[in-house]
mmCIF file of all heavy atoms in Angstrom:
data_model
loop_
_atom_site.group_PDB
_atom_site.id
_atom_site.type_symbol
_atom_site.label_atom_id
_atom_site.label_comp_id
_atom_site.label_asym_id
_atom_site.label_seq_id
_atom_site.Cartn_x
_atom_site.Cartn_y
_atom_site.Cartn_z
ATOM 1 N N CYS E 131 -16.064 -10.391 -5.215
ATOM 2 C CA CYS E 131 -14.997 -9.412 -5.479
ATOM 3 C C CYS E 131 -14.121 -9.153 -4.263
ATOM 4 O O CYS E 131 -13.509 -8.086 -4.153
ATOM 5 C CB CYS E 131 -15.594 -8.092 -5.950
ATOM 6 S SG CYS E 131 -16.634 -8.245 -7.398
ATOM 7 N N ALA E 132 -14.051 -10.093 -3.344
ATOM 8 C CA ALA E 132 -13.260 -9.862 -2.126
ATOM 9 C C ALA E 132 -11.835 -10.350 -2.343
ATOM 10 O O ALA E 132 -11.294 -10.270 -3.429
ATOM 11 C CB ALA E 132 -13.915 -10.570 -0.949
ATOM 12 N N VAL E 133 -11.198 -10.865 -1.306
ATOM 13 C CA VAL E 133 -9.799 -11.262 -1.371
ATOM 14 C C VAL E 133 -9.582 -12.225 -2.508
ATOM 15 O O VAL E 133 -10.372 -13.129 -2.759
ATOM 16 C CB VAL E 133 -9.383 -11.920 -0.042
ATOM 17 C CG1 VAL E 133 -7.968 -12.453 -0.135
ATOM 18 C CG2 VAL E 133 -9.460 -10.897 1.083
ATOM 19 N N GLY E 134 -8.449 -12.050 -3.204
ATOM 20 C CA GLY E 134 -8.114 -12.945 -4.296
ATOM 21 C C GLY E 134 -8.120 -12.259 -5.638
ATOM 22 O O GLY E 134 -7.725 -12.835 -6.647
ATOM 23 N N GLY E 135 -8.573 -11.019 -5.688
ATOM 24 C CA GLY E 135 -8.518 -10.287 -6.935
ATOM 25 C C GLY E 135 -9.823 -10.365 -7.703
ATOM 26 O O GLY E 135 -10.801 -10.968 -7.300
ATOM 27 N N ALA E 136 -9.819 -9.765 -8.872
ATOM 28 C CA ALA E 136 -11.036 -9.667 -9.662
ATOM 29 C C ALA E 136 -11.464 -11.012 -10.219
ATOM 30 O O ALA E 136 -12.642 -11.287 -10.345
ATOM 31 C CB ALA E 136 -10.825 -8.660 -10.786
ATOM 32 N N GLY E 137 -10.507 -11.825 -10.608
ATOM 33 C CA GLY E 137 -10.834 -13.153 -11.097
ATOM 34 C C GLY E 137 -11.760 -13.146 -12.301
ATOM 35 O O GLY E 137 -12.555 -14.052 -12.499
ATOM 36 N N GLY E 138 -11.653 -12.126 -13.145
ATOM 37 C CA GLY E 138 -12.481 -12.080 -14.339
ATOM 38 C C GLY E 138 -13.803 -11.365 -14.162
ATOM 39 O O GLY E 138 -14.626 -11.358 -15.050
ATOM 40 N N ILE E 139 -14.022 -10.724 -13.015
ATOM 41 C CA ILE E 139 -15.299 -10.059 -12.793
ATOM 42 C C ILE E 139 -15.546 -8.954 -13.815
ATOM 43 O O ILE E 139 -16.682 -8.637 -14.120
ATOM 44 C CB ILE E 139 -15.382 -9.449 -11.384
ATOM 45 C CG1 ILE E 139 -14.262 -8.437 -11.179
ATOM 46 C CG2 ILE E 139 -15.353 -10.510 -10.325
ATOM 47 C CD1 ILE E 139 -14.419 -7.633 -9.928
ATOM 48 N N GLY E 140 -14.463 -8.388 -14.349
ATOM 49 C CA GLY E 140 -14.629 -7.313 -15.307
ATOM 50 C C GLY E 140 -15.379 -7.728 -16.552
ATOM 51 O O GLY E 140 -15.946 -6.899 -17.248
ATOM 52 N N GLN E 141 -15.393 -9.028 -16.854
ATOM 53 C CA GLN E 141 -16.150 -9.480 -17.998
ATOM 54 C C GLN E 141 -17.644 -9.369 -17.767
ATOM 55 O O GLN E 141 -18.412 -9.365 -18.694
ATOM 56 C CB GLN E 141 -15.775 -10.940 -18.309
ATOM 57 C CG GLN E 141 -14.340 -11.123 -18.785
ATOM 58 C CD GLN E 141 -14.103 -10.427 -20.116
ATOM 59 O OE1 GLN E 141 -14.916 -10.493 -21.020
ATOM 60 N NE2 GLN E 141 -12.977 -9.742 -20.237
ATOM 61 N N ARG E 142 -18.068 -9.304 -16.497
ATOM 62 C CA ARG E 142 -19.492 -9.257 -16.193
ATOM 63 C C ARG E 142 -19.970 -7.831 -15.996
ATOM 64 O O ARG E 142 -21.070 -7.479 -16.417
ATOM 65 C CB ARG E 142 -19.784 -10.093 -14.935
ATOM 66 C CG ARG E 142 -19.468 -11.564 -15.114
ATOM 67 C CD ARG E 142 -20.226 -12.368 -14.079
ATOM 68 N NE ARG E 142 -19.847 -12.031 -12.711
ATOM 69 C CZ ARG E 142 -19.078 -12.809 -11.964
ATOM 70 N NH1 ARG E 142 -18.593 -13.935 -12.448
ATOM 71 N NH2 ARG E 142 -18.790 -12.465 -10.720
ATOM 72 N N ASP E 143 -19.157 -7.018 -15.335
ATOM 73 C CA ASP E 143 -19.606 -5.656 -15.073
ATOM 74 C C ASP E 143 -18.405 -4.775 -14.750
ATOM 75 O O ASP E 143 -17.480 -5.207 -14.074
ATOM 76 C CB ASP E 143 -20.587 -5.623 -13.901
ATOM 77 C CG ASP E 143 -21.204 -4.244 -13.740
ATOM 78 O OD1 ASP E 143 -22.190 -3.971 -14.421
ATOM 79 O OD2 ASP E 143 -20.664 -3.456 -12.950
ATOM 80 N N GLU E 144 -18.446 -3.546 -15.212
ATOM 81 C CA GLU E 144 -17.323 -2.643 -15.026
ATOM 82 C C GLU E 144 -17.442 -1.798 -13.757
ATOM 83 O O GLU E 144 -16.489 -1.147 -13.369
ATOM 84 C CB GLU E 144 -17.178 -1.722 -16.241
ATOM 85 C CG GLU E 144 -16.864 -2.476 -17.524
ATOM 86 C CD GLU E 144 -16.624 -1.552 -18.696
ATOM 87 O OE1 GLU E 144 -16.581 -0.330 -18.467
ATOM 88 O OE2 GLU E 144 -16.492 -2.030 -19.822
ATOM 89 N N GLY E 145 -18.608 -1.790 -13.121
ATOM 90 C CA GLY E 145 -18.805 -0.913 -11.980
ATOM 91 C C GLY E 145 -18.665 -1.587 -10.643
ATOM 92 O O GLY E 145 -18.991 -0.994 -9.616
ATOM 93 N N VAL E 146 -18.183 -2.836 -10.629
ATOM 94 C CA VAL E 146 -18.084 -3.567 -9.381
ATOM 95 C C VAL E 146 -17.028 -2.956 -8.469
ATOM 96 O O VAL E 146 -16.112 -2.273 -8.914
ATOM 97 C CB VAL E 146 -17.767 -5.043 -9.630
ATOM 98 C CG1 VAL E 146 -18.915 -5.730 -10.352
ATOM 99 C CG2 VAL E 146 -16.465 -5.185 -10.409
ATOM 100 N N VAL E 147 -17.166 -3.229 -7.175
ATOM 101 C CA VAL E 147 -16.249 -2.712 -6.172
ATOM 102 C C VAL E 147 -15.549 -3.896 -5.507
ATOM 103 O O VAL E 147 -16.191 -4.775 -4.929
ATOM 104 C CB VAL E 147 -16.987 -1.871 -5.125
ATOM 105 C CG1 VAL E 147 -16.023 -1.365 -4.062
ATOM 106 C CG2 VAL E 147 -17.695 -0.700 -5.813
ATOM 107 N N LEU E 148 -14.222 -3.896 -5.596
ATOM 108 C CA LEU E 148 -13.432 -4.982 -5.039
ATOM 109 C C LEU E 148 -13.211 -4.801 -3.556
ATOM 110 O O LEU E 148 -13.313 -3.698 -3.022
ATOM 111 C CB LEU E 148 -12.074 -5.075 -5.740
ATOM 112 C CG LEU E 148 -11.996 -5.924 -7.007
ATOM 113 C CD1 LEU E 148 -12.895 -5.372 -8.101
ATOM 114 C CD2 LEU E 148 -10.552 -6.001 -7.520
ATOM 115 N N GLY E 149 -12.857 -5.902 -2.900
ATOM 116 C CA GLY E 149 -12.522 -5.860 -1.490
ATOM 117 C C GLY E 149 -11.038 -5.628 -1.278
ATOM 118 O O GLY E 149 -10.376 -4.968 -2.078
ATOM 119 N N VAL E 150 -10.524 -6.192 -0.210
ATOM 120 C CA VAL E 150 -9.118 -5.959 0.156
ATOM 121 C C VAL E 150 -8.216 -6.924 -0.592
ATOM 122 O O VAL E 150 -8.411 -8.133 -0.535
ATOM 123 C CB VAL E 150 -8.922 -6.149 1.673
ATOM 124 C CG1 VAL E 150 -7.461 -5.949 2.036
ATOM 125 C CG2 VAL E 150 -9.795 -5.177 2.438
ATOM 126 N N GLY E 151 -7.230 -6.408 -1.297
ATOM 127 C CA GLY E 151 -6.213 -7.217 -1.958
ATOM 128 C C GLY E 151 -4.835 -6.803 -1.501
ATOM 129 O O GLY E 151 -4.664 -5.981 -0.583
ATOM 130 N N GLY E 152 -3.836 -7.348 -2.143
ATOM 131 C CA GLY E 152 -2.457 -7.070 -1.759
ATOM 132 C C GLY E 152 -2.090 -5.605 -1.877
ATOM 133 O O GLY E 152 -1.363 -5.067 -1.030
ATOM 134 N N ALA E 153 -2.581 -4.938 -2.917
ATOM 135 C CA ALA E 153 -2.251 -3.513 -3.075
ATOM 136 C C ALA E 153 -2.854 -2.695 -1.938
ATOM 137 O O ALA E 153 -2.200 -1.787 -1.389
ATOM 138 C CB ALA E 153 -2.760 -3.009 -4.423
ATOM 139 N N SER E 154 -4.083 -3.002 -1.568
ATOM 140 C CA SER E 154 -4.748 -2.263 -0.487
ATOM 141 C C SER E 154 -3.982 -2.385 0.821
ATOM 142 O O SER E 154 -3.772 -1.394 1.538
ATOM 143 C CB SER E 154 -6.176 -2.784 -0.293
ATOM 144 O OG SER E 154 -6.942 -2.624 -1.454
ATOM 145 N N THR E 155 -3.586 -3.606 1.161
ATOM 146 C CA THR E 155 -2.880 -3.804 2.431
ATOM 147 C C THR E 155 -1.480 -3.211 2.382
ATOM 148 O O THR E 155 -0.968 -2.755 3.405
ATOM 149 C CB THR E 155 -2.825 -5.299 2.789
ATOM 150 O OG1 THR E 155 -2.230 -6.039 1.702
ATOM 151 C CG2 THR E 155 -4.215 -5.846 3.041
ATOM 152 N N THR E 156 -0.853 -3.233 1.204
ATOM 153 C CA THR E 156 0.461 -2.609 1.063
ATOM 154 C C THR E 156 0.382 -1.117 1.355
ATOM 155 O O THR E 156 1.179 -0.559 2.127
ATOM 156 C CB THR E 156 1.034 -2.830 -0.344
ATOM 157 O OG1 THR E 156 1.302 -4.225 -0.529
ATOM 158 C CG2 THR E 156 2.331 -2.046 -0.544
ATOM 159 N N LEU E 157 -0.593 -0.435 0.733
ATOM 160 C CA LEU E 157 -0.730 1.007 0.960
ATOM 161 C C LEU E 157 -1.068 1.295 2.419
ATOM 162 O O LEU E 157 -0.512 2.229 3.030
ATOM 163 C CB LEU E 157 -1.808 1.578 0.049
ATOM 164 C CG LEU E 157 -2.073 3.077 0.196
ATOM 165 C CD1 LEU E 157 -0.824 3.896 -0.058
ATOM 166 C CD2 LEU E 157 -3.206 3.522 -0.741
ATOM 167 N N ALA E 158 -1.956 0.500 2.995
ATOM 168 C CA ALA E 158 -2.294 0.704 4.414
ATOM 169 C C ALA E 158 -1.061 0.549 5.298
ATOM 170 O O ALA E 158 -0.892 1.270 6.282
ATOM 171 C CB ALA E 158 -3.379 -0.285 4.831
ATOM 172 N N GLY E 159 -0.187 -0.389 4.928
ATOM 173 C CA GLY E 159 1.001 -0.646 5.741
ATOM 174 C C GLY E 159 2.064 0.434 5.636
ATOM 175 O O GLY E 159 2.795 0.683 6.601
ATOM 176 N N ILE E 160 2.184 1.082 4.475
ATOM 177 C CA ILE E 160 3.240 2.091 4.317
ATOM 178 C C ILE E 160 2.778 3.479 4.747
ATOM 179 O O ILE E 160 3.592 4.411 4.836
ATOM 180 C CB ILE E 160 3.753 2.157 2.872
ATOM 181 C CG1 ILE E 160 2.682 2.711 1.912
ATOM 182 C CG2 ILE E 160 4.269 0.804 2.405
ATOM 183 C CD1 ILE E 160 3.190 2.988 0.507
ATOM 184 N N THR E 161 1.492 3.660 5.019
ATOM 185 C CA THR E 161 0.977 4.992 5.341
ATOM 186 C C THR E 161 1.448 5.458 6.721
ATOM 187 O O THR E 161 1.425 4.704 7.683
ATOM 188 C CB THR E 161 -0.547 5.008 5.293
ATOM 189 O OG1 THR E 161 -0.980 4.632 3.977
ATOM 190 C CG2 THR E 161 -1.099 6.380 5.615
ATOM 191 N N VAL E 162 1.878 6.708 6.778
ATOM 192 C CA VAL E 162 2.307 7.317 8.039
ATOM 193 C C VAL E 162 1.071 7.530 8.919
ATOM 194 O O VAL E 162 0.101 8.162 8.497
ATOM 195 C CB VAL E 162 3.022 8.653 7.772
ATOM 196 C CG1 VAL E 162 3.386 9.342 9.082
ATOM 197 C CG2 VAL E 162 4.272 8.419 6.917
ATOM 198 N N ARG E 163 1.139 7.014 10.153
ATOM 199 C CA ARG E 163 -0.050 7.002 11.020
ATOM 200 C C ARG E 163 0.072 7.954 12.207
ATOM 201 O O ARG E 163 -0.272 7.599 13.326
ATOM 202 C CB ARG E 163 -0.305 5.575 11.527
ATOM 203 C CG ARG E 163 -0.598 4.566 10.434
ATOM 204 C CD ARG E 163 -1.917 4.860 9.744
ATOM 205 N NE ARG E 163 -2.147 3.945 8.615
ATOM 206 C CZ ARG E 163 -3.051 4.152 7.682
ATOM 207 N NH1 ARG E 163 -3.803 5.245 7.737
ATOM 208 N NH2 ARG E 163 -3.210 3.299 6.696
ATOM 209 N N THR E 164 0.533 9.154 11.980
ATOM 210 C CA THR E 164 0.545 10.146 13.055
ATOM 211 C C THR E 164 -0.837 10.802 13.127
ATOM 212 O O THR E 164 -1.544 10.913 12.126
ATOM 213 C CB THR E 164 1.607 11.206 12.807
ATOM 214 O OG1 THR E 164 1.418 11.753 11.489
ATOM 215 C CG2 THR E 164 3.006 10.615 12.888
ATOM 216 N N PRO E 165 -1.247 11.266 14.314
ATOM 217 C CA PRO E 165 -2.537 11.957 14.431
ATOM 218 C C PRO E 165 -2.571 13.205 13.547
ATOM 219 O O PRO E 165 -1.623 13.996 13.553
ATOM 220 C CB PRO E 165 -2.619 12.314 15.907
ATOM 221 C CG PRO E 165 -1.716 11.342 16.597
ATOM 222 C CD PRO E 165 -0.596 11.092 15.632
#
Side-chain angles (χ1 to χ4, degrees):
C131 303
V133 174
I139 59 170
Q141 293 296 317
R142 297 201 298 255
D143 188 85
E144 297 184 7
V146 295
V147 179
L148 272 62
V150 178
S154 300
T155 55
T156 294
L157 179 59
I160 68 172
T161 301
V162 176
R163 298 294 176 195
T164 53

